[in-house]
Every structure is written in C-alpha cells, then in structure tokens.
Amino acid sequence: MDISVYRPGELSAADRAAWTSLQSKAHLQGSPELSNPFLSPEFALAVGRYRRGVRIAVVREGGEPAAFFPYQRSVTGVGRAVGLGVSDAQGLVHRPGFAWDARELLRACGLAVWEFDHLVEGQEAFAVGATDSFPSPVMDVDQGYEAYLAHLRSHAPKFTRTTLAKERRLGRDAGEMRYVHDERDPAALRTLMDWKSAQYRRTGRSDRFAHEWITHLVERLFHTRSDPFAGILSVLYAGGKPIAAHFGLRSERVLACWFPAYDPAFSKYSPGLVLHLRMAEAAAADGIAYLDLGRGQKEYKDSLKTREITVSEGWVTRRHPVALGHRARRAPVRALRNTVQSRPELFEPADRILKRMGRIRSRTP
C-alpha cells in the first residue's frame, strides 16, 4: 500500500474533496455506514484543533486516493479513534472493493495499537480485533415522515399516542410551540450545554462539558457548515422559551444524534421525545435517510427506532510491547463496564448509586 500520513493542516483541498466524494457515494456502493458525519474530514480536522496527535493516513492506488484513515497517536505509539469517547462512528473511509492489511497500516502510521469503541460495519480488517459489538438504534425517514410515523403507530402504538397527546397538552399549558430545526443563535447552544451538564451531574455521570476541549469542539462544529456537512442545533420552544434542544452532526444522508437535553421543569410532557419527532419530520424534508441515535440501550431509543445497526469496540495490534501493555491496562476496565451495563441486576443498583451521588453533588455549592 502507498500510504502517506499528514497532520490535519497538511491535508490538501483535493484530498479533502476526494474524501467527501467517497462518503457521498458510499450508500450507492453498498457501504451506507461510511456516510456518517463522524467519519467526515470536517470532524477529524475539528478534533485536530483541540487534541494532540491527530493524523490522517491517505492510501493511494495508482496515484489516486483509495482510503482515508483518521486517528490520534501518542508519543509512545498508542493509537485511538479520532475523538474516542465522543465519536459515534469510527473506521477507514474507502472506495468500493478496497482491502487493507491492518498491521501494515498501523506500521505505516507508527502505531503499535489502534483502539476503537464505535467501529462501523464492513471494516473486516479491523473487526478481527473487536471484543464486543453493540446495537445502535436508527430512525429511518428515507420514505418520508408520514411513513415513519405509520411505522411508529404500528410497532409502538401506545408510545405514539401518548407522545402526541403530551405534545398537544404542552402547547395548551405552556403556550404556542415553535420548532427550529437549524437554530443559529449561540445562546441557544449554551443553554443546551448548561442543561446537559446539569443532567450529567444529576445522574452522577461525568460532565463532558467540564472538559474544555469538548466544549470548544462543539462550538466549532456548530459554526462549521458546508454542503455535505454541518453542525445542527435543533430547538423546541413553548411560549417563546426553549424547553428542549439537541446538537448533532449532519452529512448528506445521516443526522447523527449527539447531545439531547431539555428543561427538567417540563419533564412531565416528555419534551425530548416531542423534539425527536420534530427532528425526524424536518430531517425527512431535508432528504436525510436516517437519524442515528447512537450506541446505548435507552428506553426512548427503543421506542423511536425502526431498526438497529451495529458498532464494535476493541483494538487492533502489532507485535509490540506497547500494544501488550495498553491492552493489559484497558481490557479489565472495558470488560467490567460492559458486564455491568449488560446485566440489569448489576446495572440498576449501580445506576441508583450514581444518581444518589449526583443528587448530593448537585446540592453541594
């Protein structure tokens, strides 16, 4: 393989265009998973502004780009997926029929190991290193919003009736409702991040927006706009005030759901569910094929989904002491986390403890 490695600022406009072209044609060539905006050059370049070690390997065949592999590299040769921990789709973007040797690619990139937690389907060379696979629910809207709503009424009739009834009651109780699919007011983004931070603290989870780089990344992506890619802030208003919001990333065919939150004062109306239905309607009108709700079992995702795709976690390694050491450190932590999350008898007590700690933390000045 003819492999060249670039820093984010070194990637040429021609290579960026070729990368985008591979993504835009992926659904026509049997690899719709490559259309995900987390696999776009815009996301990799944005992460590169705030995280060290971001690199992009370009594989060429006959002098033309055949594949793009974004990654993060430590000084010791430990590699991670770009934005590991916040990215919901990872892998190598390639043209049809392209095959690669994972260890040869790692060697060219100076990596002893490459770790992933949302590897998309169809990445056979990397998938041999997967330790677990997980469902990622999606909402198909390629046939239009009415077709999606008909699916919901058929497969989740009680959920659909209840959610639509709550939407009507919300309008009566809180005032006229208004939905903005692509809100450009930065103040609305700040409101969403404040809600999300409070939710993380309330439920005992780690606050992602306490990490400055994540806040800056989201703000930058909010201002990133091109024909094939954009950061989309969707806001549901009632009585002139925001009550629910979501920030995600859009490619030509996929809206990747990322940070949803709502004002807890309106929780009895399920404003988050109402917001997702409005998002589905607007996405269908924009020509989006599906909304990717992201890995993780949640009741609201089960209610909204039409099907599931699969993502995997694990690592690919070379014969190298750094790879052995990294895997030895990371494997027990991942195994414990996945065991707890997959077994209700373990997850439910752990979740209660986290929420109790969150309530205490929220009351502490």
Side-chain angles (χ1 to χ4, degrees):
M1 292 189 291
D2 176 11
I3 303 172
S4 301
V5 176
Y6 302 94
R7 296 174 183 272
E10 298 170 344
L11 194 67
S12 70
D15 281 342
R16 284 187 60 177
W19 186 345
T20 297
S21 178
L22 289 177
Q23 283 198 287
S24 67
K25 298 174 183 176
H27 69 287
L28 300 173
Q29 298 166 338
S31 301
E33 65 280 351
L34 297 182
S35 299
N36 194 292
F38 283 108
L39 292 173
S40 70
E42 289 86 353
F43 181 74
L45 297 179
V47 174
R49 293 187 65 89
Y50 307 109
R51 305 300 283 170
R52 293 181 179 177
V54 172
R55 300 290 186 271
I56 299 158
V58 182
V59 186
R60 303 182 195 278
E61 291 181 338
E64 297 297 323
F68 295 85
F69 176 55
Y71 61 94
Q72 291 176 235
R73 181 188 185 278
S74 74
V75 294
T76 60
V78 172
R80 295 179 172 86
V82 165
L84 187 75
V86 295
S87 165
D88 285 350
Q90 299 150 6
L92 180 143
V93 177
H94 59 87
R95 68 188 188 190
F98 178 78
W100 68 97
D101 181 285
R103 289 179 177 83
E104 182 182 348
L105 179 62
L106 263 57
R107 187 178 298 107
C109 295
L111 302 177
V113 57
W114 182 65
E115 182 178 359
F116 52 86
D117 62 3
H118 284 77
L119 182 71
V120 298
E121 296 175 300
Q123 305 267 312
E124 286 78 6
F126 291 150
V128 295
T131 56
D132 288 285
S133 295
F134 305 90
S136 185
V138 304
M139 302 163 62
D140 290 297
V141 294
D142 55 329
Q143 300 301 310
Y145 178 68
E146 290 305 322
Y148 168 72
L149 198 58
H151 173 91
L152 280 193
R153 288 193 170 107
S154 173
H155 291 79
K158 182 178 179 181
F159 164 81
T160 308
R161 286 196 305 271
T162 300
T163 303
L164 294 177
K166 286 182 177 180
E167 180 178 13
R168 292 190 294 270
R169 189 162 70 248
L170 175 60
R172 291 195 300 268
D173 295 349
E176 182 181 359
M177 294 182 60
R178 179 170 63 93
Y179 171 72
V180 179
H181 186 59
D182 187 11
E183 176 63 82
R184 304 311 303 154
D185 183 357
L189 180 64
R190 173 51 58 185
T191 296
L192 167 62
M193 291 193 284
D194 289 343
W195 284 342
K196 198 65 182 178
S197 289
Q199 178 190 339
Y200 287 136
R201 295 193 300 270
R202 191 169 59 247
T203 56
R205 270 64 176 180
S206 174
D207 180 5
R208 289 184 173 180
F209 291 115
H211 299 278
E212 188 173 325
W213 78 270
I214 296 179
T215 298
H216 289 325
L217 175 65
V218 168
E219 290 172 343
R220 182 170 188 83
L221 290 170
F222 171 72
H223 292 290
T224 301
R225 309 183 70 76
S226 64
D227 288 340
F229 179 95
I232 299 293
L233 174 64
S234 302
V235 184
L236 183 67
Y237 294 88
K241 63 179 294 186
I243 62 169
H246 167 271
F247 181 74
L249 305 179
R250 174 194 61 74
S251 64
E252 291 182 10
R253 292 181 53 80
V254 180
L255 175 58
C257 300
W258 204 9
F259 292 110
Y262 60 84
D263 184 341
F266 295 87
S267 59
K268 69 178 182 180
Y269 300 101
S270 300
L273 294 176
V274 175
L275 174 68
H276 275 79
L277 292 183
R278 293 291 186 96
M279 287 166 53
E281 184 175 19
D286 277 353
I288 295 293
Y290 65 86
L291 289 74
D292 187 344
L293 295 171
R295 167 185 161 180
Q297 294 286 8
K298 296 286 181 66
E299 186 176 352
Y300 83 91
K301 294 182 182 181
D302 287 338
S303 300
L304 291 167
K305 71 181 182 183
T306 54
R307 60 184 173 94
E308 295 173 343
I309 56 179
T310 301
V311 295
S312 303
E313 72 174 27
W315 35 68
V316 287
T317 62
R318 293 166 51 208
R319 293 182 182 273
H320 196 287
V322 169
L324 294 175
H326 182 75
R327 184 163 185 165
R329 289 192 302 272
R330 294 285 290 158
V333 175
R334 280 193 170 186
L336 177 60
R337 181 201 64 201
N338 292 336
T339 298
V340 170
Q341 291 181 340
S342 64
R343 297 176 61 179
E345 69 272 20
L346 297 177
F347 177 78
E348 291 172 5
D351 188 51
R352 286 196 296 270
I353 292 171
L354 283 174
K355 289 179 178 177
R356 189 177 305 126
M357 292 174 62
R359 288 194 294 271
I360 294 171
R361 187 169 61 179
S362 295
R363 291 196 296 266
T364 303

